[in-house]
C-alpha cells in the first residue's frame, strides 16, 4: 500500500493533544487580518495571540477581523513538499459553501498532480466546519491507524459527512449582532434575559438555530438530550466538545456526556482563530454522529420541538 498523509486545513480546530493522540502530522494554516493593521497566521494553538486576547478583540466593536485561506501558492508548495517525498494526499477542507478554501486546495492539487503524475491528491469537501470538520478528521486518522487504505477512508468520509451533527449554545449575542445576524436591540435583551440560541448544521455546514434556551445549565442539558435523540450507537462513538473561550462550560458539558451517554471517548478542544473569527466568543458545541442530516433540518427541528415541549 502506497504511503499517504491526511492534511486538513486549520479550521478543523484540533488541539495539540488531539493531533498527537490521533497522529495528525501536519495541517495548512490560513490568515487572520485585524483592522489595526495586524496580519497573523491562523494556527491550531495560541502562539500568535492568546485565546483571551483574540476573543476580547472580536468583542471590540471598533475592530474588524477577517480571515483568508492559505494562498494558491501556499497550497501548491504545501502539497508539493509531500509529493516530492512520495506521498499520496488526502486533503480535508472546510465546506466549499462557506469558504473558498476547497477551491484553492483543488486548484493547487491539480498543479501538483500534473507535475508529479505518481501522486494522487483527493480534496475532500467536508461540507462541515470547526468541530464538525475536526470530528471527521479524528475518524479519518483513526481509520488510517487501523490500517485502512486512503480509498477506504475517502469512502467512509463521503458516506458519513452528512451524519455529523452539532448542538450547543452561544452566550454572547453582541458578537452575533455585530455580524448582522440579529439586531443589536435583540442581542442586548437576549443577553439580559439569559437567552442562548442553539443550533445544528445543515447539509452545507451552516448552523441553523433550532431553539433558544434560557440559562446555560438548561442549554447544556438540552444539548445532551438532543445528542441522545439524534445520535446513532453513541456508545461506540467519539464525541468532540469545542468552545470559544468557554473552557469551564465545555468541561461541564463533556462530563455530562460521559455520565449520561457513555460514548467511547469525549474530547475537548478550542475553537481557534481560523474558525473563531466567524464563530465568535461564547460558543460551546457538542459534535457527534447521527442519522443523515435532513433537507432544511426538517427532522432535526421536529426532534428539538419535542424535546422543548417537555
Amino acid at each position: 500500500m502506497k504511503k499517504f498523509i491526511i492534511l486538513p486545513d486549520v479550521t478543523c480546530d484540533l488541539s495539540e493533544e488531539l493531533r498527537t493522540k490521533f497522529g495528525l502530522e501536519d495541517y495548512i494554516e490560513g490568515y487572520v487580518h485585524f483592522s489595526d493593521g495586524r496580519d497573523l497566521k491562523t494556527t491550531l494553538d495560541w502562539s500568535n495571540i492568546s485565546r483571551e486576547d483574540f476573543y476580547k478583540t472580536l468583542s471590540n466593536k471598533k475592530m474588524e477581523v477577517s480571515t483568508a485561506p492559505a494562498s494558491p501558492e501556499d497550497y501548491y508548495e504545501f502539497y508539493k513538499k509531500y509529493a516530492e517525498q512520495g506521498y499520496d494526499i488526502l486533503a480535508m477542507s472546510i465546506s466549499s459553501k462557506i469558504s473558498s478554501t476547497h477551491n484553492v486546495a483543488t486548484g493547487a492539487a491539480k498543479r501538483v498532480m500534473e507535475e508529479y503524475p505518481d501522486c494522487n491528491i483527493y480534496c475532500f469537501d467536508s461540507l462541515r466546519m470547526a468541530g464538525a470538520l475536526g470530528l471527521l478528521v479524528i475518524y479519518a486518522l483513526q481509520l488510517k491507524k487501523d490500517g485502512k487504505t486512503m480509498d477506504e477512508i475517502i469512502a467512509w468520509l463521503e458516506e458519513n459527512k452528512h451524519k455529523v451533527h452539532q448542538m450547543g449554545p452561544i452566550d454572547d449575542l453582541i458578537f452575533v449582532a455585530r455580524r448582522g445576524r440579529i439586531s443589536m436591540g435583540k442581542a442586548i435583551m437576549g443577553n439580559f434575559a439569559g437567552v442562548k440560541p442553539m443550533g445544528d448544521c445543515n447539509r452545507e455546514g451552516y448552523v441553523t438555530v433550532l431553539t433558544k434556551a434560557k440559562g446555560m445549565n438548561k442549554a447544556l442539558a438540552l444539548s445532551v438530550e438532543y445528542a441522545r435523540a439524534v445520535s446513532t450507537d453513541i456508545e461506540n462513538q467519539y464525541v468532540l466538545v469545542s468552545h470559544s473561550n468557554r473552557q469551564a462550560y465545555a468541561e461541564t458539558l463533556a462530563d455530562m456526556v460521559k455520565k449520561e451517554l457513555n460514548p467511547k471517548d469525549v474530547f475537548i478542544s478550542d475553537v481557534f482563530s481560523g474558525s473563531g473569527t466567524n464563530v465568535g466568543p461564547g460558543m460551546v458545541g457538542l459534535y457527534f454522529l447521527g442519522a443523515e442530516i435532513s433537507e432544511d433540518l426538517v427532522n432535526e427541528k421536529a426532534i428539538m420541538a419535542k424535546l422543548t415541549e417537555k
Side-chain angles (χ1 to χ4, degrees):
M1 181 173 67
K2 186 178 179 184
K3 64 182 181 180
F4 67 96
I5 188 167
I6 296 172
L7 297 175
D9 71 61
V10 70
T11 62
C12 67
D13 284 337
L14 294 180
S15 65
E16 182 179 6
E17 179 182 1
L18 288 174
R19 300 196 306 273
T20 299
K21 178 179 178 65
F22 288 97
L24 181 60
E25 300 172 68
D26 207 349
Y27 66 93
I28 189 159
E29 301 168 341
Y31 300 93
V32 60
H33 173 73
F34 300 90
S35 58
D36 62 6
R38 288 178 293 161
D39 289 294
L40 302 175
K41 284 282 189 77
T42 53
T43 59
L44 293 176
D45 56 37
W46 298 110
S47 57
N48 292 336
I49 185 172
S50 72
R51 177 207 289 166
E52 290 73 20
D53 285 347
F54 175 74
Y55 282 110
K56 183 178 179 181
T57 300
L58 287 185
S59 299
N60 181 355
K61 65 181 181 180
K62 296 181 180 180
M63 184 74 71
E64 296 295 328
V65 186
S66 60
T67 57
S71 70
E73 198 63 27
D74 289 337
Y75 263 100
Y76 168 73
E77 293 295 337
F78 189 65
Y79 292 158
K80 180 181 175 182
K81 174 177 67 174
Y82 289 101
E84 289 177 338
Q85 297 175 49
Y87 284 94
D88 283 344
I89 298 170
L90 170 50
M92 300 179 66
S93 68
I94 184 176
S95 172
S96 62
K97 304 298 183 180
I98 294 174
S99 167
S100 64
T101 300
H102 179 70
N103 289 336
V104 175
T106 300
K110 182 179 179 181
R111 284 180 63 191
V112 171
M113 286 190 288
E114 287 173 351
E115 294 181 20
Y116 298 87
D118 291 335
C119 177
N120 177 36
I121 305 177
Y122 187 88
C123 294
F124 170 67
D125 181 1
S126 71
L127 293 174
R128 309 286 96 187
M129 69 171 290
L133 171 57
L135 188 61
L136 288 171
V137 174
I138 284 173
Y139 275 108
L141 293 167
Q142 183 60 55
L143 288 169
K144 184 172 187 279
K145 291 172 72 173
D146 291 342
K148 301 299 183 183
T149 66
M150 188 165 106
D151 286 343
E152 288 173 324
I153 297 172
I154 290 167
W156 187 94
L157 290 170
E158 293 291 357
E159 181 181 352
N160 287 279
K161 65 184 179 183
H162 287 305
K163 298 178 182 178
V164 180
H165 292 261
Q166 79 168 66
M167 182 48 60
I170 292 179
D171 72 356
D172 187 340
L173 301 186
I174 300 299
F175 178 83
V176 176
R178 288 187 59 220
R179 303 292 287 189
R181 298 170 194 163
I182 61 173
S183 71
M184 187 59 71
K186 286 183 177 180
I188 293 170
M189 290 301 295
N191 275 358
F192 180 75
V195 173
K196 317 296 180 187
M198 303 175 64
D200 200 348
C201 40
N202 66 18
R203 292 180 66 86
E204 294 183 344
Y206 288 102
V207 176
T208 298
V209 174
L210 300 188
T211 193
K212 297 173 184 177
K214 190 167 183 179
M216 185 59 77
N217 290 338
K218 184 174 180 179
L220 297 181
L222 185 57
S223 298
V224 175
E225 290 308 306
Y226 183 81
R228 191 196 308 277
V230 174
S231 63
T232 53
D233 191 27
I234 198 164
E235 294 85 359
N236 293 306
Q237 283 193 39
Y238 293 127
V239 173
L240 178 63
V241 176
S242 295
H243 71 95
S244 52
N245 204 25
R246 294 297 185 271
Q247 181 75 35
Y249 287 136
E251 291 174 358
T252 298
L253 181 56
D255 288 342
M256 293 169 68
V257 169
K258 291 175 186 176
K259 180 179 178 180
E260 299 185 34
L261 303 181
N262 193 32
K264 180 162 61 175
D265 214 338
V266 181
F267 310 112
I268 298 174
S269 188
D270 282 72
V271 177
F272 294 99
S273 56
S275 299
T277 301
N278 294 306
V279 170
M283 188 277 286
V284 184
L286 175 64
Y287 299 88
F288 57 92
L289 294 175
E292 185 163 318
I293 291 169
S294 59
E295 291 292 340
D296 298 320
L297 293 169
V298 171
N299 296 340
E300 292 77 11
K301 290 174 183 176
I303 289 170
M304 180 59 82
K306 288 183 179 180
L307 291 174
T308 53
E309 284 174 0
K310 297 178 180 180

